[in-house]
Amino acid sequence: MATLLLIDSSVFPEGGSASRAVTAAFRKTWEEQHPDGTVIHRDLAADPLPHLDAVAASAGFSDPATHTPEQQAAFALRTQLAEELEQADAIVIGAPMYNFTIPSTLKAWLDQVIIMGRTIGENASAKGKPVVVVASRGGSYAPGTPREPFEYVQNYLEAVLNGGFGLEVEFIVPELTMAPSNPAMAELVPLFETSRAKAHEQAEAKAKELVARFAA
């Protein structure tokens, strides 16, 4: 049975979140195709992780036998998060763009789960696993658009997830999500609707593809 690690970071509930709507579509298709599988869901907005501090950081670079009680507690969380990543066969991450970058809660997860010599490094423990990132954004930062230079979500996550963890990264990008609520973007609503529909189709297709891969 395959395990899916699903990470949501939007501050909005599914009904008001473009990224959650797409990750939910992926999960629904995954569970329909693989009802005996396991889904580990981390909702970083509902249950945020602590930001990495000196205690947790220092624990990652010292011998566990020398850890203080505080380091032991902090590193236990980091170990749990690393194990969730390692036990997953596939990962889906909802990463909406906030102020040109990822939510701080998602950055906190990354900082906690990055453990040099374990999840990061020459023999990264989750290397090769597929990860689908739903990188929603209110406007468009696609190549050739005026805001292309401000695209710090895909560029950053490609560097960390692929360059760091060694994961097999694929992006689904629902864009122009502010069009329905911003009068200045009213003429872009049809493009938003097309982008939204495409994102849902991509999520469902990718879920089926991954289930088929693990079933083979």
Side-chain angles (χ1 to χ4, degrees), residues 33-192:
Q33 299 290 315
H34 191 43
D36 296 327
T38 300
V39 177
I40 300 171
H41 185 203
R42 278 206 170 267
D43 187 334
L44 300 178
D47 189 16
L49 297 166
H51 286 278
L52 191 69
D53 60 13
V55 174
S58 62
F61 292 97
S62 58
D63 184 346
T66 68
H67 285 177
T68 65
E70 292 77 15
Q71 286 178 313
Q72 289 176 1
F75 201 61
L77 173 61
R78 300 189 68 189
T79 299
Q80 178 186 354
L81 296 173
E83 290 175 346
E84 290 177 355
L85 180 68
E86 293 160 353
Q87 292 166 5
D89 295 286
I91 304 101
V92 176
I93 300 174
M97 179 185 282
Y98 291 163
N99 302 316
F100 304 118
T101 188
I102 63 173
S104 64
T105 52
L106 181 54
K107 181 60 164 60
W109 177 80
L110 286 166
D111 287 341
Q112 293 282 7
V113 81
I114 291 173
I115 302 175
M116 188 60 64
R118 179 171 178 171
T119 58
I120 296 287
E122 184 177 353
N123 298 308
S125 56
K127 186 175 182 178
K129 294 179 185 289
V131 56
V132 178
V133 179
V134 180
S136 59
R137 61 276 314 273
S140 179
Y141 297 77
T145 63
R147 289 201 167 189
E148 179 185 358
F150 298 98
E151 206 303 301
Y152 301 116
V153 173
Q154 287 178 259
N155 289 334
Y156 169 66
L157 290 178
E158 178 70 34
V160 174
L161 297 175
N162 178 259
F165 291 110
L167 300 172
E168 176 190 303
V169 185
E170 182 169 329
F171 289 94
I172 295 175
V173 186
E175 61 178 14
L176 302 170
T177 62
M178 291 296 295
S181 59
N182 185 346
M185 298 175 67
E187 64 182 18
L188 300 175
V189 169
L191 292 177
F192 153 71

